[in-house]
Amino acid sequence: MVLLGAPGSGKGTQAAILAGRLGVPAISTGDMLRQAVAAGSALGRSVEGTMMRGKLVDDATMAEIVRRRLEEDDARRGFLLDGYPRTVPQAGTLEEILAGQQARLDAVVLIEVPEPVLVERALARKRSDDTEEAIRERLVEYGKKTEPLVRYYQVRSLLREVDGEGSVSEVTAAVSAALEV
Ligand code: B4P
């Protein structure tokens, strides 16, 4: 499964809850990148500036990271992707990876939250990449590069839309209902 939504929509929050419930790993590309930055690895050093500016890391780098992660044993029985794909080329890469594993996506959940609430939540989170400028830039990037995925998955009959404005438990209930889990 894939969780789709603007930055601050609560993808990561819901992915962790749902993954626990379904017994599959929640794979957050944002967390993986932040860990690389914290560890000071070559990958971390190469993506740090991009993340701080609120820009997306390039598709080739992300393809490499996700391909490796989905080959790990714990992802063989299923997984919940949080924050990938974020561009149409990334969605194509994911399809290729899954085809190579004779697997397919079951569903894509879009968590919808109005922009003022997104900014408020992200500022409250106080993560190092959450300056107001970076948050605004992430929303612009989302509109340009990630929103086209809504249509991409709609035409493939995979998209399930959920209102993400309620409390964490209300959103979990809405996501569970949409997925019938
Ligand atoms: P991510 O880590 O994916 O960050 P995000 O989109 O901001 O967070 P998310 O939507 O998961 O919100 P959260 O649950 O934390 O990406 C960070 C950066 O990494 C990107 O900007 C980019 O540079 C890079 N990156 C990652 N993946 C990439 C890719 N595929 N391609 C290129 N670049 C990539 O929730 C936000 C806050 O709201 C939290 O504080 C939470 O506690 C709160 N909250 C959640 N649900 C709530 C609710 N229902 N009510 C009230 N508060 C709630």
Side-chain angles (χ1 to χ4, degrees):
M1 266 182 247
V2 164
L3 284 184
L4 204 60
S9 58
K11 299 183 296 291
T13 305
Q14 297 300 328
I17 298 170
L18 275 170
R21 218 181 251 190
L22 297 170
V24 296
I27 300 177
S28 161
T29 45
D31 283 351
M32 290 166 80
L33 293 171
R34 277 187 292 277
Q35 277 162 20
V37 171
S41 66
L43 169 67
R45 289 195 302 277
S46 74
V47 300
E48 188 170 14
T50 308
M51 292 179 75
M52 294 303 282
R53 286 195 304 278
K55 295 286 190 187
L56 292 181
V57 172
D58 67 277
D59 290 338
T61 302
M62 295 312 300
E64 188 58 30
I65 293 173
V66 169
R67 193 181 300 277
R68 266 201 233 139
R69 181 63 186 87
L70 293 182
E71 278 169 4
E72 285 177 32
D73 278 350
D74 66 340
R76 296 209 183 275
R77 287 186 313 108
F79 54 81
L80 234 159
L81 272 174
D82 156 27
Y84 191 94
R86 259 179 161 92
T87 65
V88 171
Q90 289 184 10
T93 300
L94 178 60
E95 265 178 29
E96 275 168 37
I97 297 172
L98 293 180
Q101 298 183 345
Q102 274 91 48
R104 61 176 169 75
L105 281 182
D106 288 328
V108 176
V109 179
L110 171 66
I111 304 183
E112 294 187 287
V113 176
E115 184 164 329
V117 180
L118 294 172
V119 175
E120 202 181 294
R121 282 188 192 172
L123 282 173
R125 187 168 59 179
K126 293 192 171 66
R127 218 168 56 191
S128 65
D129 59 342
D130 282 338
T131 61
E132 185 151 4
E133 207 183 326
I135 293 164
R136 300 254 174 232
E137 185 55 36
R138 288 213 293 267
L139 290 171
V140 172
E141 288 272 272
Y142 178 78
K144 278 198 295 204
K145 298 181 181 163
T146 310
E147 234 158 35
L149 289 179
V150 172
R151 184 84 196 118
Y152 182 96
Y153 285 123
Q154 242 162 9
V155 301
R156 286 162 176 75
S157 302
L158 285 169
L159 197 78
R160 321 234 176 138
E161 292 168 64
V162 166
D163 177 0
E165 217 186 332
S167 67
V168 171
S169 59
E170 282 166 346
V171 179
T172 305
V175 173
S176 304
L179 291 172
E180 296 163 25
V181 293

